[in-house]
Amino acid sequence: MTTPATRSGTSAAASPAGRVPQASSAPLPPLTGRRIRAAVIGAGAIGRGSHLPALAQLADEGETEVVAAVDINADAVKAFCAESGIPHAYTDLEQMLREQRPDLVTICTPPTLHREQTVAALRAGAWVWCEKPPVPTLADFDAIEAEEGLGGGPYASIVFQHRFGSASTHVRRLLAEGVLGRPLVAHCQTTWYRDTAYYAVPWRGRWQTEGGGPAMGHGIHQMDLLLDLLGPWSEVRGMAGRLVHDVETEDVSTALVRFANGALGTVVNSVLSPDEVSRIRIDCERATVELTHLYGHSNADWTITPAPDVPEAEIAAWRDFGADVPSSHLAQLRELVASMRAGERPRSSGADGRTSLELITALYKSAFTDTTVKAGDIGPGDPYYTALHGGAPGWAPASGDDGALSGSATEEASA
């Protein structure tokens, strides 16, 4: 799994020029007046089940065309392309980038590969849409951001599809306009269930390859949505446990979070919960907003409960979410394509895409050091900047365990 055929290219990353060679030195053609040429990296379930359908829908609308796919497994990627009508199958990412010169690369591989693959695509002039978790560490994220274009792209965006859709857009606007009053109390819950067989996949439950436990691989979606709705966090106090599974990472975590706007919140992430649910609740001065779902939401999954003195006309306006556009890869990809055509930084990229990873990193540091961690505390020189376990006794991998991938595990840690 760590051969040059599947990674973004160790040799390129280590070269003095630091650039992946391209087939031509000519600039990529403008994106106006033509379809966006896309390539999918990783022929596993998340690419087949989420990325390809979104790309296909936009292809039907004349926006995109999928020109290539890449995977370590030659048979798998050939079958993937044959099933989907994709013209070019590759086992070498750099070769695909040189020969096909895609405008957009969607990355559907395990987190440990995201940095190198994203950097390779950016250096080849392609925008990137990368599955969560974005990368295993803040150091990796900052290295990617340093490779982005200066004004007009290319940029690297993270798949945080729960931010997108009609309901989250509506609630974000209500909170931003202040019509619900000040946010006061928040609750963010991702309590799911994963059995022993789930962790039999070699790269799961390991710091080096998955990046973290349920806080990183599962709860990141709800935490990202909460931050998108409420804005920046200021401090966090966390706890973590390894209660059931034989893994390096945690299998449950909890946190108390203070937000920059003064609101206080609780966060619970678990893979030990048979009654599975994803939930966000925000209590404001004039109303409670609540989202209850599992892997995706529509207008019907949100409720707004007003305080007793709110006029009926206001309540009706709050509850009018408009036409139902469910959260989905399609909803986010549609906005990303619009950003590409406009030459604008997309949402969930750069600082906007980093915020949930910083919170998760702080949660781990707080849990493993028994301290309160403030926003901005973790930077170069901090052990948690380069590893989410921070080298903490009882949590860091055993000496000599590099967490290398094995076998044919090529799909992303999907919801």
Side-chain angles (χ1 to χ4, degrees), residues 267-278:
V267 176
V268 181
N269 301 299
S270 165
V271 288
L272 310 178
S273 309
D275 182 11
E276 296 187 295
V277 68
S278 304

Side-chain angles (χ1 to χ4, degrees), residues 6 21 98 109 112 124 126 168 170 180 213 233 270 272 293 306 343 371 382 390-391:
T6 58
R98 290 193 304 269
T109 54
T112 191
S168 57
H170 176 68
L180 304 181
W233 61 279
S270 165
L272 310 178
H293 67 118
T371 59
D382 189 305

Side-chain angles (χ1 to χ4, degrees), residues 9 29 84 97 103-104 199-200 211 238 255 292 297 302-303 352 369 384 394 403 405:
S84 309
L97 292 170
D103 306 303
L104 172 66
Y199 286 103
T292 303
H297 55 81
W302 295 73
T303 59
D352 184 50
T369 62
Y384 289 86
L405 289 170

Side-chain angles (χ1 to χ4, degrees), residues 332-344:
Q332 182 175 0
L333 181 61
R334 195 184 298 282
E335 188 171 311
L336 173 59
V337 166
S339 296
M340 291 177 66
R341 294 198 183 280
E344 298 173 349

